[in-house]
Amino acid sequence: MPPSPCAPEEVRRVACVGAGVIGGGWVAHFLARGYDVTAWDPAPDAEEKLRRLVDAAWPALERIGLADGASPDRLTVAATAEEAVADAQFVQESAPEKLELKRSLLARLDAAAPAGVVIASSTSGYPMTDMQTEAADPGRLVVGHPFNPPYLIPLVEVVGGKQTDAAAVEWASRFYKVAGKSVITMERELPGFIANRLQEALWREALHMVANGEATVKEIDDSITEGPGLRWAFMGPCLTFALAGGEGGMGHMLDHFGPSLKSPWTRLEAPELDDTLRAAMVDGCDEAAGGRTIAQLVAERDQGVIDVLRATGRLPRQRTEGTDGIAHNSSTMGDEK
Ligand SMILES: NC(=O)C1=CN([C@@H]2O[C@H](COP(=O)(O)OP(=O)(O)OC[C@H]3O[C@@H](n4cnc5c(N)ncnc54)[C@H](O)[C@@H]3O)[C@@H](O)[C@H]2O)C=CC1
Ligand SMILES: C[N+](C)(C)CC(=O)CC(=O)[O-]
């Protein structure tokens, strides 16, 4: 791969190929961050749908803050994929999740984009190794897996394939950061990357429960939004469970509840909870805590839950004065102390 023609900080023009749910979301994101965006999608009504998606997203983007000069008017819709990428400094592919289609499309984009420009795929699970097989310059092809909607959810998982140059992975990770995303750069390919592997585990259990009549869809959704989901918005599953061990942290949590991993709660096979895995979990939690004590983490978690409850309308944003001069709120959960 020739060196990228510009540094991530110098990018002004982005091409988005495939403009459905995710491609359109990327377009909205890049426009809001002040880029010139050229999009292409073969569907006959693609431009109309894309502009509608951007218009619908724009009020939310205004609320969270636009970059200087950001405007939906900086979107151009190209007539071909080649035209879309001809002048691009970064390319984001978001075509349907079909391996053969991705392979030939990425080869086509590689043939048309300026030399060295990094091309990222939004794929939600294909390893880049399997998608880069037909490209003349596979070194510049990376995965940049977003979350829906890409204009609001910060995370992008970045990973290369066997033929990807490390410099392209590094460049893409830096570019996404400059473009306002939160990036996890993976050292090696993993089917489903990190977040989808976790989501799919939960999803598989949900489908098992529904298929067996063990829980309703609503019960499954409520069990997350009224339960662990409130914590996961700001503290991941590992640190959250470390707090289940009280002062003993993850070590006590594993000693206490670890054996129940073998109970038939799950349809997935549990890994052997050996000393190595135990140590990796304990060390990982210590590292993630970054010196914060259990008490500090508990306080942080509690405040985080309150913030999420407020943000989702389950706690009032502000107390209001009633005619009796007493502060009221409409929540059934009460206000925080
Ligand atoms: N929907 C989601 O929640 C997420 C999807 N993704 C990934 O994003 C990619 C796109 O998925 P969605 O936006 O959900 O699908 P979608 O079906 O909403 O959009 C796909 C778009 O690609 C267009 N298209 C069809 N053939 C094409 C071609 N040969 N070249 C370029 N565009 C073509 C279609 O007209 C359509 O507008 C997939 O790789 C998917 O795995 C990633 C994260 C989340
Ligand atoms: C449903 N999905 C597997 C395509 C979802 C993702 O890939 C990420 C997300 O937005 O949850």
Side-chain angles (χ1 to χ4, degrees):
M1 170 191 150
S4 175
C6 72
E9 294 76 11
E10 292 164 354
V11 172
R12 298 288 170 268
R13 296 181 305 281
V14 171
C16 292
V17 173
V21 173
I22 290 303
W26 273 121
V27 168
H29 176 75
F30 289 127
L31 288 170
R33 301 319 313 152
Y35 294 97
D36 290 312
V37 180
T38 304
W40 176 73
D41 188 298
D45 56 349
E47 176 162 3
E48 185 202 327
K49 274 179 151 171
L50 171 59
R51 293 199 186 272
R52 235 184 304 138
L53 188 156
V54 171
D55 287 346
W58 209 255
L61 290 164
E62 282 175 327
R63 281 202 298 280
I64 60 175
L66 299 173
D68 287 347
S71 165
D73 296 342
R74 292 173 67 181
L75 168 63
T76 305
V77 176
T80 63
E82 286 72 14
E83 186 187 316
V85 303
D87 200 22
Q89 294 165 307
F90 174 73
V91 179
Q92 183 79 40
E93 170 276 307
S94 308
E97 191 75 350
K98 292 182 186 150
L99 186 56
E100 281 309 324
L101 186 156
K102 297 267 194 204
R103 273 186 186 144
S104 58
L105 179 61
L106 288 171
R108 192 175 158 194
L109 300 180
D110 172 47
V117 159
V118 172
I119 300 172
S121 172
S122 295
T123 180
S124 29
Y126 293 135
M128 181 47 81
T129 296
D130 294 349
M131 294 192 293
Q132 65 193 166
T133 49
E134 292 172 19
D137 179 9
R140 57 157 143 185
L141 301 180
V142 303
V143 167
H145 175 236
F147 290 78
N148 190 36
Y151 55 84
L152 286 184
I153 307 285
L155 182 61
V156 185
E157 293 170 307
V158 180
V159 63
K162 284 202 170 67
Q163 297 185 75
T164 305
D165 285 336
V169 173
E170 197 188 318
W171 190 99
S173 299
R174 262 180 60 208
F175 169 70
Y176 282 126
K177 281 181 198 154
V178 171
K181 304 300 287 184
S182 168
V183 179
I184 293 180
T185 307
M186 296 175 62
E187 304 253 315
R188 72 182 76 133
E189 291 184 292
L190 195 66
F193 319 121
I194 298 174
N196 271 358
R197 182 158 164 188
L198 292 167
Q199 289 203 110
E200 293 299 341
L202 189 113
W203 186 230
R204 198 160 35 231
E205 295 299 315
L207 294 180
H208 273 307
M209 284 194 274
V210 171
N212 296 329
E214 293 162 340
T216 65
V217 166
K218 184 171 180 346
E219 282 169 336
I220 288 168
D221 276 358
D222 286 351
S223 77
I224 296 301
T225 59
E226 295 297 314
L230 286 170
R231 302 182 300 218
W232 289 342
F234 56 88
M235 188 180 284
C238 302
L239 260 194
T240 295
F241 266 10
L243 299 187
E247 284 300 324
M250 179 53 82
H252 177 61
M253 143 69 197
L254 287 177
D255 296 341
H256 186 177
F257 301 108
S260 64
L261 282 176
K262 296 283 182 195
S263 76
W265 291 348
T266 178
R267 312 282 163 170
L268 300 172
E269 233 179 87
E272 204 50 52
L273 189 54
D274 57 18
D275 288 349
T276 310
L277 179 55
R278 186 184 184 283
M281 291 302 297
V282 171
D283 294 347
C285 282
D286 286 345
E287 197 183 324
R292 288 169 294 174
T293 63
I294 295 285
Q296 284 170 325
L297 288 167
V298 166
E300 217 175 291
R301 178 195 61 192
D302 291 355
Q303 187 55 50
V305 173
I306 289 164
D307 289 346
V308 173
L309 287 170
R310 183 178 283 121
T312 51
R314 281 175 279 181
L315 276 178
R317 281 167 205 280
Q318 267 182 326
R319 283 168 166 273
T320 52
E321 285 284 300
T323 49
D324 51 6
I326 296 170
H328 294 278
N329 69 62
S330 55
S331 166
T332 53
M333 304 185 66
D335 209 352
E336 79 273 24
K337 298 286 170 268

